[in-house]
């Protein structure tokens, strides 16, 4: 068996770690070998953002290992083979980083850092700006998966009342946060989210979920944190919600066009913090071990964790 490899952004670290751990397997770097691929040998691929012609001629491809948690880009790939099993990463070091990212955003809003920074620029001793207590700052998380649930645990430890909303629900393994699920719970969930964090996958059901209709259902002055995907937020409706005061601010890691174009209105907006899709990155050793244990499970005839349901979109 041969594995075809293409991971956008890899400086060679991931590829060499894979080659080291799978010393007996032929791992072909798509970028080096493009013209002379022995297509019939290739049964697996390890990818992140593969180019348009990556899958051309791969008639025996059985498994595609995605070097990421989100698979929206891959599922939209025009050449994606219909029958290959797609396996994504679960956590792989990302949950801890995501928890830190969200904790920063939550503290930024709760401690009124945006207003305090503004007062500092004016050399104004703004003693009247008082933070709410953590216990009074309700956080709602859209998504209770590998990342959402870990963010919930972290924020609960810091004293925030946290609720996660998801499709089917999740039983909290640690105290301090609760899980609700289904469309009928969404209104009440949103109405009690002073800070809303989006950690949903981007699917047909979740595209554009962060829109004017949703912002209206949050408490006035709510704060949005979106490290999910840019396709979740309707950008002009987000700007309108900020202009009206319905939202007081946002911290965004993901955008409908990445990199965010230089003339985009988000850049200069005083109430938006922009980070360049860096909330959490998959760690090489964890990711390689996950990919290998999935390969071993398949070899044994077992079903590995992280298999993507193409119908559901995640
Ligand atoms: P996951 O484990 O698959 O969890 C997804 C969660 O979303 C699950 O709780 C799922 O509900 C819920 N969900 C999906 N569709 C839903 C719907 N229509 N309505 C309500 N809930 C829905 O995914 P993850 O590993 O936590 O990752 C989440 C996303 O984070 C990724 O897809 C990716 O877009 C993003 N991400 C961003 C970065 C970054 O650096 N910015 C890094 C990694 C990941 P069920 O539990 O009921 O299935
Ligand atoms: C990063 O955005 C991921 O989906 O892993």
């Amino acid at each position: 068996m041969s594995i075809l490899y293409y991971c956008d952004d890899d400086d060679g670290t991931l590829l060499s770690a894979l080659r080291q751990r799978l010393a007996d397997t032929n791992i072909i770097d798509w970028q080096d070998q493009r013209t002379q691929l022995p297509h019939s040998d290739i049964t697996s691929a390890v990818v992140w953002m593969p180019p348009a012609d990556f899958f051309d001629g791969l008639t025996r491809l059985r498994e595609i290992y995605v070097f990421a948690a989100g698979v929206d880009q891959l599922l939209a790939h025009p050449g994606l083979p219909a029958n290959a099993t797609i396996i994504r990463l679960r956590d792989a070091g990302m949950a801890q980083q995501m928890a830190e990212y969200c904790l920063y955003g939550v503290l930024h809003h709760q401690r009124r850092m945006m207003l305090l920074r503004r007062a500092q620029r004016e050399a104004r001793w703004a003693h009247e700006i008082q933070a709410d207590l953590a216990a009074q700052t309700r956080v709602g998380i859209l998504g209770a998966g590998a990342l959402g649930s870990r963010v919930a645990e972290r924020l609960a430890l810091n004293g925030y009342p946290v609720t996660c909303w998801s499709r089917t629900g999740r039983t909290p393994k640690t105290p301090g946060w609760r899980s609700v699920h289904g469309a009928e719970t969404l209104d009440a969930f949103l109405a009690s989210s002073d800070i809303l964090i989006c950690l949903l996958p981007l699917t047909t059901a979740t595209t554009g979920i962060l829109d004017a209709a949703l912002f209206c259902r949050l408490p006035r002055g709510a704060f949005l944190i979106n490290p999910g995907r840019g396709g979740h937020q309707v950008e002009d409706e987000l700007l309108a919600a900020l202009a009206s005061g319905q939202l007081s601010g946002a911290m965004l890691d993901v955008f409908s066009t990445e990199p965010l174009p230089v003339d985009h209105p988000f850049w200069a907006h005083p109430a938006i913090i922009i980070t360049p899709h860096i909330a959490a990155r998959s760690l090489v050793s964890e990711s390689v071990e996950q990919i290998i244990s999935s390969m071993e499970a398949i070899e044994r005839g077992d079903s590995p964790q992280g298999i993507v349901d193409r119908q559901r979109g995640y």
Side-chain angles (χ1 to χ4, degrees):
M1 117 171 163
S2 296
I3 298 174
L4 187 59
Y5 174 90
Y6 180 93
C7 286
D8 199 50
D9 272 357
D10 179 26
D11 61 2
T13 316
L14 173 62
L15 179 57
S16 54
L18 269 174
R19 283 188 166 143
Q20 218 168 358
R21 281 291 277 112
L22 292 169
D24 296 334
T25 306
N26 181 26
I27 303 181
I28 304 162
D29 181 353
W30 186 86
Q31 298 194 80
D32 285 350
Q33 306 286 334
R34 196 173 164 192
T35 49
Q36 28 178 315
L37 289 181
H39 288 114
S40 56
D41 264 12
I42 295 167
T43 52
S44 303
V46 175
V47 299
W48 170 238
M49 311 255 275
D53 54 345
F54 178 86
F55 294 108
D56 291 359
L58 300 183
T59 50
R60 296 190 56 219
L61 197 65
R62 285 188 326 238
E63 287 99 30
I64 303 170
Y65 298 91
V66 188
F67 187 66
V71 290
D72 45 294
Q73 293 104 333
L74 183 68
L75 293 179
H77 192 292
L80 185 67
N83 296 320
T85 302
I86 300 170
I87 301 138
R88 70 176 189 92
L89 295 177
R90 293 117 24 233
D91 183 351
M94 286 181 273
Q96 170 69 21
Q97 300 165 67
M98 190 58 85
E100 291 164 5
Y101 181 87
C102 293
L103 177 60
Y104 176 85
V106 165
L107 282 165
H108 176 87
H109 176 67
Q110 178 233 333
R111 295 297 317 189
R112 302 284 180 264
M113 293 311 293
M114 195 170 57
L115 298 177
L116 290 164
R117 294 287 294 165
R118 207 172 292 162
Q120 181 181 344
R121 280 195 292 276
E122 295 160 5
R124 192 165 62 80
W125 189 257
H127 196 254
E128 75 286 0
I129 298 175
Q130 294 291 326
D132 291 332
L133 298 179
Q136 296 165 338
T137 306
R138 300 162 299 173
V139 182
I141 304 175
L142 294 165
L147 304 185
S149 62
R150 184 72 79 80
V151 172
E153 287 172 10
R154 175 73 256 173
L155 295 175
L157 276 176
N158 278 67
Y160 298 96
V162 182
T163 306
C164 286
W165 178 81
S166 64
R167 212 170 47 82
T168 59
R170 183 175 182 122
T171 308
K173 292 201 179 85
T174 55
W177 63 281
R178 61 191 197 104
S179 161
V180 297
H181 64 277
E184 61 288 359
T185 64
L186 185 59
D187 271 347
F189 163 83
L190 293 172
S192 56
S193 296
D194 301 311
I195 298 175
L196 184 71
I197 299 174
C198 179
L199 277 169
L200 293 167
L202 186 65
T203 67
T204 47
T206 66
T207 296
I209 190 170
L210 302 175
D211 64 359
L214 177 141
F215 300 142
C216 284
R217 291 142 85 191
L218 295 168
R220 188 161 177 81
F223 188 79
L224 173 69
I225 302 175
N226 185 16
R229 283 287 185 264
H232 288 132
Q233 70 217 359
V234 181
E235 294 186 346
D236 53 346
E237 297 182 12
L238 172 52
L239 286 169
L242 289 167
S244 72
Q246 177 57 23
L247 289 181
S248 61
M251 181 161 105
L252 310 173
D253 190 50
V254 287
F255 304 91
S256 54
T257 304
E258 293 181 10
L260 187 65
V262 285
D263 56 351
H264 197 287
F266 283 174
W267 282 116
H269 198 293
I272 298 180
I273 301 176
I274 290 172
T275 53
H277 202 144
I278 45 74
R281 67 193 153 84
S282 19
L283 299 184
V284 168
S285 61
E286 281 87 337
S287 305
V288 168
E289 292 315 315
Q290 254 185 45
I291 290 170
I292 287 168
S293 73
S294 297
M295 286 175 175
E296 288 169 351
I298 288 171
E299 228 162 84
R300 287 194 307 272
D302 293 340
S303 182
Q305 286 183 3
I307 290 190
V308 172
D309 178 334
R310 291 192 189 208
Q311 273 322 96
R312 230 174 40 172
Y314 69 101

